[in-house]
Amino acid sequence: MFKLISTPARLALASLFMATVTSSALAAEPLRVCSDPDNLPFSKSDGPEKGLYIDLAEMVGKRLGTTVEYVWWLSFNQRRALRNTMEGCDAYFALPADAEYRVKGVEKSKAFLNVSYAIVAPAGQSFTGLPDLKGKRVGVMFGSPPQILLATREGYTWNTFRTHEQLFEALNKGEVDLALMWGPSAGFDNLKQFNSRWQVLPVRGESLGGQVAVAVSKSKPGLKDQINQALDDLQPEISKLVVKYGFPTQSPIDLVRSTKSLHTPALPLQTAQQKPSTASSGFMRVGMKEQQRTEWVVANAGLSPEEAKSVFNNKCSHCHGQNGASPVMERDLRKLSMRYKENWKDVAFTTITKGRPDLGMPTWGGIIPEDEIKSIIEFLVTVQKN
């Protein structure tokens, strides 16, 4: 005889059955992961070392009871590439965890890793904050947040370099006393190429670091929850991967103390969250109603349209792209008139002269002559998209 089962019990069994079916369906298919083929210490398509993201993806796949397949693509212009590529992927282990960083069609896992710039210096030197860098020759990457940080403060001496390799070469030759470099890459090279000769000390401050999450395709319901659980379970293994690839693990040195700063623990992340900026663009309306409107007279600047274009491309294109055509939406200067309507020139002038250091925009007032700034803005008139 069959024993009758109550309605609540039947509903509970049905829910358990559906959850089991969903989990099995996800596990039955390979986990398709988008990743950069040549981006150690994070990922590599060939060679003995695969990178932290690849090692972690394999661990997550094992937790989910499935294999991992890779879709390799270069991650330059990340947001645009990700938007186009995630249609063929289930997950991407490299998405900034900031709430303001959104990509259509994907959702984010919980953050699993902290990454930041770092001070790279000979062993034995002590650093507690930004003032300790005064009087030293500091190497920075051209156009990087550390360069902008030093450029907006008095009393610091820095030399700019175009490549990561050039920075290490300058350190080796004693041409700089220390360098501010991207921490994961500096730590990896220090471990693999220099036998841990240098100390690599993580820093924190506006635009100097962040957290990493997994981008998960919205076409796979339930996958984000499974990945979140796997990331929780794998925290000890993530800690080992951090050490394996030489990421700096000390407590970060606060280079920009403010009331907005939050404590960030040593890698890997546990529970701390960075407070996201509410700004969506480097050009903001900063008290426009109270400010006197700029008189747009540029006849005395002495720059022809071609000269103004050349000045822009020499001084601004490393952040905003050639002729203002950045693939990053927030830095694309061709859309200023669309964002700020008839006030866009005044917004641009205010932003260039006063800067937005919190968003990586240095203060150029007093460095670039005012007439030259006006000429640059007149050049931007010619590239606006209406």
Side-chain angles (χ1 to χ4, degrees):
M1 295 181 63
F2 295 100
K3 185 177 181 180
L4 294 177
I5 303 176
S6 66
T7 298
R10 288 199 301 271
L11 291 174
L13 285 172
S15 298
L16 178 61
F17 174 76
M18 290 302 296
T20 302
V21 169
T22 302
S23 178
S24 299
L26 287 173
E29 299 179 0
L31 180 67
R32 297 169 301 171
V33 174
C34 286
S35 199
D36 193 310
D38 189 20
N39 190 30
L40 282 176
F42 296 106
S43 59
K44 194 80 164 65
S45 60
D46 54 19
E49 292 180 314
K50 298 300 185 181
L52 186 146
Y53 293 158
I54 302 303
D55 286 354
L56 181 57
E58 293 290 337
M59 292 178 183
V60 170
K62 187 175 181 180
R63 285 272 171 176
L64 270 54
T66 188
T67 58
V68 181
E69 294 179 355
Y70 296 95
V71 179
W72 300 108
W73 52 279
L74 294 173
S75 55
F76 299 124
N77 305 333
Q78 183 184 59
R79 198 175 327 208
R80 177 178 294 179
L82 183 60
R83 193 163 51 235
N84 296 333
T85 309
M86 278 298 289
E87 295 179 2
C89 297
D90 303 319
Y92 172 60
F93 285 69
L95 192 71
D98 296 345
E100 65 187 20
Y101 195 99
R102 297 183 293 271
V103 179
K104 185 177 179 181
V106 306
E107 51 188 351
K108 294 177 186 177
S109 75
K110 60 180 61 180
F112 65 88
L113 187 70
N114 291 326
V115 290
S116 72
Y117 281 88
I119 294 172
V120 183
Q125 295 188 22
S126 177
F127 301 93
T128 59
L130 193 62
D132 294 328
L133 275 57
K134 282 188 175 181
K136 298 183 183 295
R137 299 166 300 166
V138 183
V140 293
M141 291 286 287
F142 179 74
S144 66
Q147 183 194 4
I148 294 168
L149 172 66
L150 297 180
T152 56
R153 287 161 173 76
E154 295 182 356
Y156 295 91
T157 302
W158 73 92
N159 297 324
T160 58
F161 298 84
R162 290 285 183 178
T163 68
H164 185 87
E165 292 75 18
Q166 289 174 348
L167 268 173
F168 266 119
E169 184 178 355
L171 279 168
N172 273 320
K173 291 181 177 179
E175 296 172 351
V176 296
D177 300 313
L178 60 95
L180 282 169
M181 304 172 68
W182 184 233
S185 300
F188 180 73
D189 285 352
N190 184 49
L191 175 67
K192 300 297 180 179
Q193 297 183 27
F194 300 101
N195 196 28
S196 299
R197 172 182 175 184
W198 313 98
Q199 57 176 337
V200 182
L201 308 172
V203 300
R204 65 168 169 240
E206 292 287 348
S207 302
L208 295 177
Q211 298 172 327
V212 182
V214 182
V216 184
S217 173
K218 288 184 177 180
S219 66
K220 290 295 184 72
L223 181 57
K224 185 184 82 168
D225 292 338
Q226 286 189 313
I227 289 178
N228 277 335
Q229 184 59 57
L231 292 174
D232 281 342
D233 296 340
L234 290 168
Q235 278 296 317
E237 284 73 18
I238 295 174
S239 296
K240 293 176 183 177
L241 290 177
V242 165
V243 174
K244 173 183 176 180
Y245 287 100
F247 287 25
T249 58
Q250 300 90 334
S251 295
I253 299 167
D254 198 341
L255 293 190
V256 186
R257 288 190 175 91
S258 72
T259 57
K260 294 183 179 180
S261 296
L262 298 178
H263 175 69
T264 304
L267 299 172
L269 157 79
Q270 294 293 338
T271 58
Q273 296 288 334
Q274 279 192 335
K275 184 176 180 180
S277 168
T278 56
S280 60
S281 170
F283 287 96
M284 303 297 296
R285 296 180 183 272
V286 185
M288 288 303 300
K289 291 183 179 178
E290 292 73 34
Q291 293 177 0
Q292 182 178 358
R293 293 182 64 84
T294 303
E295 293 297 327
W296 291 103
V297 180
V298 297
N300 296 325
L303 297 180
S304 68
E306 281 301 313
E307 288 173 330
K309 176 180 177 180
S310 177
V311 169
F312 175 88
N313 286 327
N314 284 333
K315 296 184 177 180
C316 311
S317 63
H318 61 277
C319 284
H320 294 288
Q322 195 77 359
N323 300 328
S326 173
V328 180
M329 181 177 64
E330 292 84 351
R331 297 183 180 184
D332 189 343
L333 302 187
R334 299 171 299 174
K335 300 178 181 179
L336 294 176
S337 62
M338 295 171 61
R339 293 180 194 142
Y340 304 108
K341 309 305 179 184
E342 69 276 3
N343 290 330
W344 77 264
K345 287 186 182 180
D346 299 286
V347 174
F349 183 82
T350 299
T351 304
I352 294 171
T353 54
K354 295 189 175 182
R356 287 301 309 274
D358 57 325
L359 295 174
M361 177 70 179
T363 300
W364 292 110
I367 299 175
I368 300 177
E370 182 174 309
D371 284 344
E372 194 171 303
I373 292 175
K374 290 181 180 180
S375 292
I376 289 173
I377 293 173
E378 287 303 310
F379 159 68
L380 292 176
V381 171
T382 67
V383 299
Q384 293 307 296
K385 290 187 173 182
N386 298 315

